[in-house]
Amino acid sequence: MTGTEMAGTASTPPSSSTPASPSPPAAPPASSINRRRLLLASGAVAVGAAGGAAAVLPRQHPTLTVRPAAESAAPQPPLTARRPARQAPRRAAPYAATTLDTTARLAGRAHPDTYRRLVSGPGWPMVVRGDLAPAATGRQDRRTPLACFMQFTDLHLTDVQNPLRTEFLRSRRPAAWRAQEALTVAGAVALVEQVNALGQGPHTDLTPSFVMTTGDNIDNNSAIELDWFLTLMSGGRITPNSGDPSAYEGVQNSGLPLYWHPDDAALRDQDKRRGLPRIPGFLDAAIRPVTSPGLDIPWYSTVGNHDDIPGGCLSPALGDFAVGSRKLLSVPATDAAAYAKALNSGDDPKSEVLTAILERHATSARTVTADERRRLFTPHDYLAAHLDPAHAGAGPVGHGYTENNLDGDRMYYTFRIAENVIGISLDTTYRSGHYEGSLGTDQLRWLERTLAAHSSRSYDADGRPVRNAGADDAHVLVFSHHHSPSMTRRPDAARTEEPRHDGAEVLALLHRFPNVVAWINGHSHVNRITPHAHATPARSFWEVNTASHLDYPHHARVIELADNGDGTVSLFTTLVESAAPHRTDPDFTDLSAVGLASLYRELSYNAPDLATGMKAGVHEGWAGGPGDRNVELLVAASASR
């Protein structure tokens, strides 16, 4: 597929809504498909089961208190739990900064056929959300920090030369392929650099203790991409190239005006016609080796649909095409329409429609260098690679997975975040060629047992209180790739013996355990924070959905947890950009790793039609409203529920 949540869907951005929280993206016409929708179809923005509309979290009307950025970032009174901040070398914004301090902005005004440069804009203020619990005065002085960590999601490290990618869907809509996706490795390295330089969380002054990736770490379920991801996180040299070791063999030097050809001075492709520049040497630079410093702190891994199946939505039976020597770059409109229909319906688990298209047009496909490193990997391979001591980095070995996970290839686990705080990582993927998510019955029962073991008081399915005197009443944070609206109950052809359970069932289960603070996830490529209130207020919790680092706005989150000493806890989420400078080289001559990382961001901000939906420099459909970005989320403490 093409590189995003699936093969590559940049997409027409959804329209913005209220400043507090954006409305769900409007569904494009049934005849169209774009990269974020193919992300859609591969998982990023989930397609609605009924009408094919993008299923994101519903619009909320939160209780908001906005604090100016300067005030929200001010240091709190000294706390014994705080550790000294690391001193970061000086570098252009946003190095070692958060979006409380500054954010990338497009310069000038939106205008058709204009490429706009990035500049450093003002930071975003912190918003206090009291939807689920009141924000009592003086809590800052009583506050005890509990935990601080980072969330990465939807990195989509992409081998853009993989023959199994379906960039040809761009013929249906310009946004169905991304100009920036050849630079995913350079962009992700800059994100690792930012984490290493951040120092302390802005609200607890705790040093982040780990990074959790919430899936779609890679794009095509290929062994070479998995190696890039593990090397990125643990440190080492990455060559973002496959096939011919000395040349690029993808769509961007194909001569087809359907794609941006940065090195070609003569071809007036459709992206140059809308303003994208000519950048001599771009493709050579994109496949040059990059060195990742690796994270200075431990990291944990959660699996996403792109990690688990090719393109995030295709059948593993297509493995021979991935390692082969024929790359299909364009198809007749009827074939593109048939494939788009199969993706949007999700009713082709064996990928028979795509298989027929690839076979029918094999003789017209581009000849590329076959590469066994593009082979698809199994869940067992994924676990074994994480457990390889060569990829231990700052730890832990396995990054959440242990040898016990190999028994049955179980890709879910629990781990200790901090004293009296536990994390639960779920596997929400279908393994039969579908982008939506679900839980199997065995995993759902395991989740229930795990929650019960940490809950002295909970509720059964009928709402009756349940007591467990030996439980520790730890605060619980749940992690998954899919967000609740993208989880369905369709059968999994790869696990036909096990019933599947949707997002509504997971929400119902979490509501039974008052010590659940939040469910943290990705998949949508949108920043969205939803309060899941319950008729019994003590059973309420938050869902924190974070945008991709592949598409605008290129965010990760700092997440901090604190006990306010008044019967509530606060979950702080602060968005972070990569360490790459906002400004790119004026003449596009800086093709160093840092220059490419900056260009990676700038190209994503120039995605088709994105700028037209921006208001005050922000497209709230993807970046979220103020209540979805830098926030304090209050909820009742488990001891008081």
Side-chain angles (χ1 to χ4, degrees), residues 565-581:
D566 60 3
T568 67
V569 295
S570 289
L571 188 76
F572 297 93
T573 83
T574 306
L575 293 169
V576 175
E577 299 171 333
S578 83

Side-chain angles (χ1 to χ4, degrees), residues 610-629:
L610 181 70
T612 58
M614 289 188 176
K615 297 179 181 178
V618 181
H619 195 301
E620 293 190 348
W622 298 131
D628 301 304
R629 295 183 237 147

Side-chain angles (χ1 to χ4, degrees), residues 327-344:
K327 183 173 176 62
L328 191 57
L329 307 183
S330 64
V331 299
T334 53
D335 283 337
Y339 178 48
K341 181 179 179 181
L343 286 176
N344 289 336

Side-chain angles (χ1 to χ4, degrees), residues 348-409:
D348 185 22
K350 296 182 180 180
S351 298
E352 293 173 331
V353 173
L354 179 58
T355 299
I357 292 171
L358 293 173
E359 292 176 344
R360 185 159 55 248
H361 300 292
T363 57
S364 62
R366 179 178 183 174
T367 299
V368 298
T369 305
D371 195 335
E372 178 60 26
R373 296 176 300 166
R374 295 175 180 140
R375 67 187 179 278
L376 307 184
F377 57 81
T378 65
H380 189 88
D381 296 333
Y382 186 81
L383 293 168
H386 279 72
L387 287 162
D388 186 343
H391 295 305
V397 173
H399 306 290
Y401 304 115
T402 69
E403 295 289 339
N404 291 334
N405 289 91
L406 294 173
D407 180 14
D409 297 335

